[in-house]
Amino acid sequence: MAKRDYYEILGVAKGSTEKELKKAYRKLAIKYHPDKNPDDKGAEGKFKEAAEAYEVLNNPDKRARYDQYGHAGLEGGGFGGGGFGGGGMNMDDIFSQFGDIFGSAFGGGGFSGSRGGRRRSRGSNLRVRVKLTLDEIANGVEKKIKVKRLVIADGITHKTCTHCNGSGQTVQIVNTPLGRMQTSSTCPVCNGVGKIIDSRPPGSDANGMIHKEDTVSIKIPAGVEDGMQLSVSGKGNYAPVDGIAGDLIVLIEEIPHESLKRDGKNLHHDLFISYPDAALGANPEIETLSSKVKIKLEPGIQSGKLLRLRGKGLPSVESYGTGDLLIHVNVWTPQELNKEQRMFFEAQREESNFHPDPDKNNKSFFDRVKEMFQ
Ligand code: ZN
């Protein structure tokens, strides 16, 4: 099914301000709130759709990408903390990210009904490093990563917090000259959750948590760079009791390639050729990321010549287009000559044809630099 336009979903103009976006989203979120529309799948869909649209348009980076490329600009893993992965947002994400939006509409404490006034705590983020070869970066890759997550131990039992009677809030009555005032604050015993641990299995920590090995599958989009971070929503540590999980932050590490050097989208290769190949011309084979390519070297090619294989670089993760492979030609000077070779070169030393003539059919250094940045 084709995705609807985010601006259309929220019913706002393309140039709308942050305030207008928030207002439009709040209206929809209240209209389709699950507490108001119990067991209504249509309303739930609209509720999620609006949250997704707001999540993107309220983030300047994502909004810029969406404005430029539409939905396609946001595909491929979700950078910088979003991470829809194509599946839309789940209810926990929506409530944890945008809970404040509903605040005043649903009686100050958050959500009515089953959600009560309790607060859901959020687990901490987990960090892992993933090493990728340039080949994997060129094509994008799915990696299965083993992580040790904090999860709630099996067999744990909870009981209602007696300090706040399960409300998560403690209420204080204060006498003031204006009369009795009621103030409420987060329950210090259960941290606002409303429940505390009754019994926990051996081996679990004070919060009833244990470390559990889990395998997480991560789709890494093509073109990522060393040092980039991907965030996988909900795959971090769990929070105690009925909290929600944090994120898994994946740090990208690039394994250097044997013969190719990366510079953003472009790749560079230092090609060394012999004197005879330079003089006579040659067809050496160059290793690119996807295959081997034969290139043609014209007779008389000079050291420093730059050859460009278009589209043999890397895709960009942030924009369209693929970079180039730039081949830097170096003529290899023999370092030890035998008697015959020495005689040959000595005989040629005075030949005018062997005298350097840089102006002749060879571009200057600055022309080459210009060519490189075209
Ligand atoms: Zn409590």
Side-chain angles (χ1 to χ4, degrees):
M1 200 180 77
K3 282 189 104 164
R4 279 176 72 200
D5 177 66
Y6 287 147
Y7 292 100
E8 193 187 305
I9 290 167
L10 295 180
V12 293
K14 250 202 152 181
S16 53
T17 63
E18 220 173 282
K19 224 176 145 184
E20 288 166 333
L21 280 174
K22 189 168 180 169
K23 204 177 145 193
Y25 171 56
R26 190 170 184 273
K27 218 172 107 187
L28 289 171
I30 291 167
K31 184 173 170 189
Y32 296 117
H33 196 284
D35 284 352
K36 270 194 165 183
N37 305 271
D39 302 320
D40 180 347
K41 281 281 159 203
E44 191 185 316
K46 288 231 156 58
F47 184 73
K48 286 180 176 175
E49 192 182 49
E52 186 182 322
Y54 180 65
E55 203 273 350
V56 169
L57 298 184
N58 194 40
N59 176 317
D61 286 349
K62 289 184 186 172
R63 184 173 180 176
R65 266 194 283 159
Y66 179 73
D67 285 348
Q68 205 170 356
Y69 305 115
H71 290 293
L74 304 162
E75 279 166 8
F79 272 89
F84 297 132
M89 298 181 83
N90 64 44
M91 287 297 193
D92 286 343
D93 291 338
I94 296 170
F95 288 116
S96 70
Q97 286 193 44
F98 306 134
D100 63 309
I101 290 254
F102 310 113
S104 55
F106 285 85
F111 319 111
S112 62
S114 59
R115 288 170 200 276
R118 282 181 275 115
R119 192 175 71 179
R120 301 195 71 189
S121 53
R122 186 186 169 84
S124 56
N125 291 342
L126 264 179
R127 294 180 164 270
V128 286
R129 284 169 192 273
V130 172
K131 291 189 175 187
L132 300 173
T133 65
L134 279 184
D135 291 83
E136 289 173 324
I137 289 169
N139 301 306
V141 65
E142 187 163 353
K143 285 268 174 189
K144 290 200 185 335
I145 296 167
K146 277 195 179 149
V147 290
K148 274 199 165 169
R149 310 170 68 190
L150 265 178
V151 299
I152 298 168
D154 286 335
I156 191 168
T157 58
H158 296 101
K159 60 184 177 190
T160 303
C161 173
T162 50
H163 191 73
C164 62
N165 287 320
S167 69
Q169 304 279 311
T170 50
V171 177
Q172 276 180 305
I173 310 285
V174 188
N175 287 312
T176 75
L178 298 171
R180 284 155 76 89
M181 300 261 293
Q182 187 174 312
T183 60
S184 64
S185 53
T186 301
C187 172
V189 174
C190 64
N191 287 317
V193 176
K195 285 191 270 186
I196 54 168
I197 292 168
D198 189 19
S199 69
R200 56 185 177 87
S204 61
D205 68 13
N207 292 318
M209 311 287 285
I210 50 159
H211 280 284
K212 193 182 165 197
E213 195 165 78
D214 202 355
T215 304
V216 181
S217 185
I218 303 166
K219 271 194 182 143
I220 296 165
V224 292
E225 285 186 47
D226 198 86
M228 274 184 173
Q229 291 188 359
L230 268 161
S231 148
V232 187
S233 178
K235 295 291 182 188
N237 289 321
Y238 272 90
V241 199
D242 63 349
I244 52 174
D247 295 339
L248 176 65
I249 311 288
V250 181
L251 181 70
I252 304 293
E253 221 172 90
E254 195 178 298
I255 302 169
H257 191 276
E258 253 178 53
S259 62
L260 300 171
K261 243 173 110 178
R262 179 181 192 175
D263 174 23
K265 297 206 282 184
N266 291 332
L267 295 171
H268 295 266
H269 173 67
D270 262 322
L271 175 67
F272 287 89
I273 60 169
S274 70
Y275 256 138
D277 278 351
L280 301 169
N283 292 291
E285 210 172 49
I286 306 290
E287 193 187 343
T288 72
L289 283 181
S290 49
S291 58
K292 287 189 172 171
V293 173
K294 267 204 167 168
I295 60 165
K296 190 177 165 158
L297 302 179
E298 298 292 344
I301 194 166
Q302 299 291 349
S303 231
K305 173 86 179 169
L306 194 65
L307 303 168
R308 183 189 290 264
L309 295 181
R310 288 207 184 271
K312 293 287 182 192
L314 293 164
S316 166
V317 77
E318 273 145 359
S319 63
Y320 285 135
T322 301
D324 301 330
L325 171 56
L326 296 153
I327 298 164
H328 302 258
V329 175
N330 301 276
V331 178
W332 183 256
T333 307
Q335 293 184 307
E336 272 170 48
L337 299 175
N338 62 28
K339 205 176 154 197
E340 281 141 53
Q341 289 159 347
R342 177 168 291 279
M343 275 168 66
F344 167 76
F345 280 114
E346 271 172 0
Q348 304 303 323
R349 202 198 279 268
E350 298 309 320
E351 276 287 327
S352 65
N353 196 27
F354 272 70
H355 286 181
D357 184 6
D359 294 335
K360 191 185 158 197
N361 72 36
N362 185 34
K363 287 177 184 164
S364 72
F365 172 75
F366 292 105
D367 287 338
R368 289 207 307 269
V369 170
K370 239 165 75 187
E371 189 180 64
M372 197 169 145
F373 290 105
Q374 261 168 20

